Amino acid sequence: MKKNIKSINGSFLLEILHQKNLITDEQTNKILKIQKNVGEDLQKVIVDLNILQKDEMMLALADKIGVRYVNLENINIDPTIVVLIPEEIARRHQLIAIDKDDQKLVVAMANPLDVFAHDELKIRLGYEIEPALSYGEDIDKALDEIFGITEEWDQIIGKVENMPVTVIKEEETGDISVIDKSKEAPIIALVNLIILRAVKEAASDIHIEMFGEDILKVRYRIDGILHDVMSFPKNLQLPIISRIKIMSDLDIAERRLPQDGRIQVNVGGRNINIRVSTIPTVNGESAVLRILDPASILLDLNSLGFSSDILPKFSSLIKNPYGIILVTGPTGSGKSTTLYATLNLLNSSEKKIMTIEDPVEYKLKGISQIQAKPKIGLTFAAGLRSFLRQDPDIMLVGEIRDRETAEIAVQAALTGHLVLSTLHTNDAPSSVIRLIDMGIEPFLISSSVVGVIAQRLVRRICPKCKRELEITPHIERVLNIYEADHKEVTLYKGEGCPNCKDTGYKGRIALFEVMIISDAIREVIANSKNANTQKLREIALKEGMCSLKEDGMKKVREGITTIEEILRVAPD
């Protein structure tokens, strides 16, 4: 794809730089000589020779033209705005959309004087065009990052479409952030790109699945919400899924049954663990890749979202020398992060801490961590049982999934060990009923469990586009339910900007409810006839437990999140 305009005319640029006394005649001759020999863009030659800094040169040019200069390296570009301009037009005219309102589209251009580009955009899009000046190479890089599949990737896809599926596993996985397309098989480079982009965009999951019978979609889950990223023709489904299977040591020939595996890749010098799940559907196999990035794990309790009245309760809970502490919530609610932060706080040379996890998401110094391997019999129950012979003080089991694991955890707690684990329930009181349903005797639960923490993740309001929110009748009704005196409450929302990809949210924070197992709650649990979730909740709330929704409303009042987010994730 050739660009008809590379940059503003070279003689025009040199004339401006001369007028502003930024370059000398000697430097001009040197610039022109090198530009003639290498055939590169004049702006790039000036920057590469260190005659002028990029910003200095571009600011001088922008001042002469009468437009503002935008350094694309210093702004967060919103993909939903970029794609308003078709990639072919953006690359042909070397421009990129960076902002918009109802009538106007702000476009960063290598040549803001290109009237043909102005006219084409106005006719095609219906917006008034506000041009800005940007460095040509920066525009190209930004387009590559947003569109993902550039001409080179189009060529890769073409090669994959026309070749048999022969995927070879490498002996060692190199850094996938440096993709050598000339050496790697096209399908390897394509899957590496999918993973690389997901890591760069801080996605927690990659979904690769058929939409209908002829479109293969790649979606990223970012801040808990799925976003469309790429689309491929159906004939790439088999090569992509096969490559993922090979990377995760799965059976490439088995397409009738679900399979689970793991991948470890290197991105920018750091190891990223990926949990893989494939499943057959009527339109062929789909895959979900859970990205476990150690760099994203917070090891400070204060950063997780514990409010000032909940954190002391949790801190006192984990000081227990023995007993079971459960962290509960659905998949992807941040349970593992809370447990890691807790272990980091408890970790000391005076205590022996052991964990069995699936997978080990983050390696902690001074802690013996074991990867569960059910295929060879190393289950959570087996690992927990072996821990009892290792004289630990604190034990963590990734999840209590069955009666056997629960019984061993209870036994460990009753013999002087502190046991941390997770359950999948909607709230803290439900965890007790879940253990009873597993077949654990109620009197054992009341004697061993010391506390339960339930949690959810909600999106934070984007700090760059945060503004005060007008109280509508709907919000008024919600506040009447959850706020005793809401007249003093100021609410906020994000308007949407490039920093948050026009969603109004950036990052996530946890909501918590901490249920301490008091004598009153123990009495209800031990008398299993009266043990039900509602009864336990009533007692816990009476004793000062802050519910998930109440914790969420605190964060709404503090301007951290929105009512919509709380209603989306927190049960009534």
Side-chain angles (χ1 to χ4, degrees):
M1 195 185 296
K2 266 193 164 183
K3 306 177 184 72
N4 65 346
I5 297 176
K6 187 69 179 174
S7 68
I8 288 175
N9 181 275
S11 59
F12 178 67
L13 173 62
L14 292 174
E15 182 182 342
I16 291 169
L17 298 179
H18 263 293
Q19 288 175 359
K20 294 183 175 290
N21 297 316
L22 295 175
I23 58 172
T24 63
D25 289 338
E26 184 181 349
Q27 288 173 327
T28 300
N29 293 332
K30 184 177 181 181
I31 291 166
L32 290 172
K33 182 178 179 180
I34 293 176
Q35 195 268 342
K36 183 179 180 181
N37 290 335
V38 301
E40 285 187 341
D41 177 62
L42 203 66
Q43 292 181 5
K44 188 175 188 306
V45 172
I46 293 171
V47 172
D48 288 349
L49 289 174
N50 288 321
I51 291 174
L52 290 173
Q53 295 296 313
K54 178 180 69 176
D55 286 353
E56 187 180 14
M57 174 183 68
M58 300 306 289
L59 283 168
L61 186 55
D63 180 61
K64 180 67 176 180
I65 297 172
V67 298
R68 66 187 173 103
Y69 163 59
V70 177
N71 186 339
L72 297 180
E73 293 180 338
N74 294 337
I75 67 171
N76 290 300
I77 301 174
D78 183 356
T80 62
I81 294 177
V82 173
V83 297
L84 291 173
I85 299 177
E87 183 181 6
E88 185 274 331
I89 295 175
R91 292 192 182 280
R92 174 156 47 89
H93 291 293
Q94 206 171 15
L95 51 83
I96 185 169
I98 57 174
D99 200 4
K100 74 175 183 69
D101 56 28
D102 292 339
Q103 282 84 34
K104 181 178 66 182
L105 188 68
V106 181
V107 181
M109 309 174 70
N111 183 7
L113 301 178
D114 185 355
V115 293
F116 298 107
H118 283 245
D119 292 344
E120 185 172 1
L121 290 176
K122 189 171 182 179
I123 293 169
R124 287 283 295 261
L125 305 178
Y127 285 96
E128 290 296 323
I129 304 301
E130 179 186 314
L133 177 68
S134 284
Y135 188 55
E137 266 198 5
D138 290 348
I139 293 174
D140 292 338
K141 288 178 184 176
L143 291 173
D144 287 348
E145 288 183 8
I146 299 300
F147 286 104
I149 301 176
T150 61
E151 291 177 68
E152 296 176 9
W153 294 114
D154 287 334
Q155 293 170 11
I156 287 173
I157 292 173
K159 290 177 184 177
V160 175
E161 289 174 337
N162 298 318
M163 69 183 291
V165 182
T166 53
V167 184
I168 301 171
K169 183 180 179 183
E170 307 97 330
E171 290 300 317
E172 292 185 12
T173 302
D175 190 335
I176 68 168
S177 60
V178 183
I179 301 174
D180 187 344
K181 292 172 283 296
S182 64
K183 295 180 181 179
E184 291 185 339
I187 192 61
I188 294 176
L190 184 57
V191 172
N192 283 356
L193 171 68
I194 292 170
I195 296 173
L196 178 61
R197 284 196 63 192
V199 172
K200 283 186 174 181
E201 295 190 23
S204 61
D205 301 86
I206 305 170
H207 290 245
I208 303 171
E209 55 201 336
M210 291 299 298
F211 272 61
E213 297 183 354
D214 52 6
I215 297 176
L216 179 69
K217 274 198 176 183
V218 177
R219 296 187 291 169
Y220 294 161
R221 187 177 295 280
I222 301 172
D223 290 339
I225 305 297
L226 282 170
H227 301 270
D228 287 349
V229 179
M230 307 177 189
S231 295
F232 302 113
K234 177 177 173 55
N235 56 354
L236 288 188
Q237 179 187 27
L238 179 58
I240 289 174
I241 298 295
S242 296
R243 171 60 187 161
I244 290 169
K245 282 184 174 182
I246 292 229
M247 292 175 76
S248 49
D249 288 322
L250 300 180
D251 185 353
I252 193 172
E254 180 55 77
R255 299 174 193 160
R256 302 164 300 168
L257 297 172
Q259 297 187 68
D260 296 316
R262 296 177 188 81
I263 301 171
Q264 186 177 78
V265 294
N266 188 288
V267 178
R270 71 179 195 271
N271 289 330
I272 304 292
N273 295 310
I274 300 173
R275 194 162 49 196
V276 177
S277 172
T278 65
I279 192 168
T281 72
V282 292
N283 291 320
E285 285 185 289
S286 66
V288 175
L289 287 66
R290 165 64 58 88
I291 298 172
L292 306 171
D293 183 0
S296 67
I297 294 179
L298 299 172
L299 294 180
D300 178 15
L301 287 175
N302 293 308
S303 304
L304 297 180
F306 282 101
S307 56
S308 58
D309 57 335
I310 293 179
L311 184 56
K313 292 181 180 179
F314 182 71
S315 299
S316 66
L317 188 62
I318 62 177
K319 289 177 183 176
N320 279 287
Y322 56 85
I324 298 175
I325 299 174
L326 297 172
V327 181
T328 184
T331 300
S333 60
K335 300 186 297 296
S336 296
T337 302
T338 299
L339 288 174
Y340 277 127
T342 303
L343 287 182
N344 190 56
L345 187 64
L346 295 172
N347 194 7
S348 74
S349 59
E350 298 172 354
K351 296 176 182 176
K352 177 163 185 175
I353 303 176
M354 302 188 72
T355 78
I356 180 162
E357 308 166 58
D358 187 19
V360 175
E361 297 181 19
Y362 187 85
K363 294 179 181 177
L364 295 168
K365 290 183 179 179
I367 294 178
S368 300
Q369 295 172 271
I370 297 173
Q371 170 69 54
K373 298 177 182 176
K375 289 182 180 179
I376 61 171
L378 184 51
T379 61
F380 285 141
L384 197 53
R385 189 183 295 110
S386 67
F387 286 177
L388 296 174
R389 296 188 289 271
Q390 291 288 315
D391 188 31
D393 297 289
I394 301 169
M395 297 183 283
L396 181 147
V397 57
E399 182 184 347
I400 294 180
R401 297 174 178 171
D402 50 45
R403 178 175 178 172
E404 184 183 9
T405 308
E407 286 177 339
I408 301 169
V410 168
Q411 179 188 349
L414 293 176
T415 53
H417 304 88
L418 183 62
V419 181
L420 308 177
S421 191
T422 69
L423 272 179
H424 288 273
T425 60
N426 288 329
D427 56 15
S430 298
S431 298
V432 172
I433 307 304
R434 175 81 176 111
L435 291 175
I436 293 174
D437 290 341
M438 282 184 181
I440 306 302
E441 291 291 342
F443 76 91
L444 291 176
I445 297 172
S446 65
S447 302
S448 59
V449 179
V450 295
V452 184
I453 301 95
Q455 66 181 79
R456 295 288 191 283
L457 292 177
V458 294
R459 292 180 291 174
R460 291 175 178 266
I461 298 172
C462 174
K464 294 196 174 180
C465 61
K466 179 179 177 179
R467 67 169 177 82
E468 193 171 322
L469 176 66
E470 180 184 351
I471 306 295
T472 64
H474 169 69
I475 295 174
E476 183 93 20
R477 286 193 295 272
V478 174
L479 289 174
N480 279 330
I481 297 171
Y482 298 109
E483 292 289 333
D485 182 12
H486 65 266
K487 293 181 180 178
E488 302 300 321
V489 175
T490 302
L491 303 183
Y492 298 88
K493 69 171 290 185
E495 286 189 308
C497 66
N499 181 59
C500 61
K501 299 183 179 179
D502 216 29
T503 63
Y505 298 98
K506 184 71 173 179
R508 289 191 289 178
I509 192 170
L511 310 181
F512 293 98
E513 67 178 20
V514 178
M515 184 176 80
I516 307 293
I517 306 299
S518 64
D519 290 340
I521 291 175
R522 282 196 180 91
E523 186 176 340
V524 172
I525 296 172
N527 185 2
S528 59
K529 291 180 181 179
N530 296 328
N532 60 70
T533 301
Q534 187 58 36
K535 182 68 174 176
L536 293 172
R537 171 168 287 279
E538 288 174 3
I539 297 174
L541 290 173
K542 192 178 295 184
E543 293 180 344
M545 182 183 80
C546 177
S547 70
L548 286 167
K549 186 150 282 179
E550 288 170 341
D551 189 39
M553 292 306 295
K554 288 179 185 176
K555 290 177 170 65
V556 169
R557 291 196 299 271
E558 292 167 5
I560 296 172
T561 188
T562 63
I563 290 177
E564 290 80 5
E565 276 295 285
I566 304 307
L567 297 178
R568 180 176 69 86
V569 304
D572 289 320

